[in-house]
Amino acid sequence: EAQVTQNPRYLITVTGKKLTVTCSQNMNHEYMSWYRQDPGLGLRQIYYSMNVEVTDKGDVPEGYKVSRKEKRNFPLILESPSPNQTSLYFCASSSRADYGYTFGSGTRLTVV
Amino acid sequence: AQKVTQAQTEISVVEKEDVTLDCVYETRDTTYYLFWYKQPPSGELVFLIRRNSFDEQNEISGRYSWNFQKSTSSFNFTITASQVVDSAVYFCALRSSGGGGNKLTFGTGTQLKVEL
């Protein structure tokens, strides 16, 4: 089954404790992105990757890191999480040829 | 710059009523794609429709229909005979041929509540 898999689905952590949210896709898509969803703001792009070893900032990159060492994986790293990073996070992938998107199930992160 | 506006923050209807969710977009590109997603209380994003800028034909899928009008930069979504299961947040989104790695620009969403 074609899908984007995010883990974990739920995470509660403390301020400053480094964490990684994993994202993996099995569709051989070139493009992968991370979005965060906040009430009243919709979804905003954090980082994106156009292929292996090619990443760039989206609209709200502060406080986040990403890497794309393999085509299928695109982890989101919070080196020192803060409460303002409490949000719902989505990973998405798409192919160069097709303009559709596949989203993961989301990760609800709470930073206390 | 791209922008998507969903002016309706929340809509409440009684079951079996028809409801239209509005979406207005801004882009300077001539080639772009418009999307609607549904987000039920469980939180996942459910793809509903994709439309490209060269196809202004309206579409109907069961109780759902979409009206795309380039002249007014609108891509409105109508649910006919609404049901309680339609209760969700609905997002309109835009992707143009510009950069951002196929970035989708989302509206702020419309919360639809369908009551018995």
Side-chain angles (χ1 to χ4, degrees):
Chain A
E1 179 189 352
Q3 61 185 1
V4 175
T5 303
Q6 283 180 240
N7 281 297
R9 287 294 306 277
Y10 302 92
L11 179 60
I12 300 175
T13 190
V14 296
T15 298
K17 184 176 181 181
K18 180 180 178 180
L19 67 89
T20 299
V21 183
T22 63
C23 174
S24 180
Q25 50 95 3
N26 61 2
M27 296 162 283
N28 201 38
H29 283 169
E30 295 87 0
Y31 300 134
M32 297 187 76
S33 293
W34 277 102
Y35 293 82
R36 62 176 288 174
Q37 181 183 350
D38 301 292
L41 296 176
L43 284 82
R44 295 174 293 168
Q45 191 186 51
I46 303 170
Y47 266 95
Y48 65 94
S49 169
M50 299 180 75
N51 216 323
V52 176
E53 302 292 2
V54 180
T55 64
D56 207 347
K57 297 176 181 178
D59 298 321
V60 287
E62 294 77 20
Y64 304 94
K65 286 176 57 176
V66 293
S67 68
R68 188 92 181 273
K69 296 176 182 174
E70 306 165 283
K71 198 171 187 179
R72 63 183 292 124
N73 296 324
F74 190 45
L76 180 69
I77 303 158
L78 285 73
E79 295 269 0
S80 182
S82 62
N84 65 12
Q85 293 178 297
T86 292
S87 187
L88 176 59
Y89 292 86
F90 287 98
C91 181
S93 73
S94 66
S95 73
R96 195 188 308 278
D98 180 13
Y99 296 101
Y101 294 82
T102 303
F103 281 86
S105 299
T107 297
R108 289 191 182 274
L109 172 65
T110 302
V111 183
V112 299
Chain B
Q2 302 181 150
K3 185 177 180 182
V4 176
T5 301
Q6 294 180 256
Q8 303 152 308
T9 304
E10 186 173 319
I11 301 175
S12 290
V13 299
V14 176
E15 203 176 37
K16 297 184 183 177
E17 283 186 15
D18 299 346
V19 58
T20 295
L21 310 181
D22 298 332
C23 173
V24 175
Y25 62 92
E26 295 176 28
T27 180
R28 291 180 181 159
D29 293 326
T30 55
T31 301
Y32 52 88
Y33 295 80
L34 294 162
F35 300 78
W36 276 95
Y37 288 89
K38 174 182 180 180
Q39 186 176 47
S42 53
E44 74 271 20
L45 287 168
V46 178
F47 167 79
L48 295 177
I49 190 172
R50 179 180 74 223
R51 245 334 178 223
N52 73 55
S53 53
F54 299 108
D55 183 3
E56 283 194 75
Q57 208 169 15
N58 292 331
E59 182 156 337
I60 298 174
S61 176
R63 297 184 296 108
Y64 295 171
S65 62
W66 291 269
N67 181 269
F68 176 27
Q69 292 195 342
K70 287 179 75 172
S71 60
T72 56
S73 297
S74 64
F75 186 43
N76 297 336
F77 172 31
T78 297
I79 301 174
T80 303
S82 59
Q83 299 176 1
V84 172
V85 293
D86 296 326
S87 296
V89 179
Y90 291 86
F91 289 100
C92 181
L94 164 71
R95 180 199 173 273
S96 71
S97 56
N102 280 14
K103 180 178 89 170
L104 277 174
T105 298
F106 284 85
T108 52
T110 298
Q111 171 83 59
L112 174 63
K113 295 184 178 179
V114 182
E115 300 166 333
L116 292 171

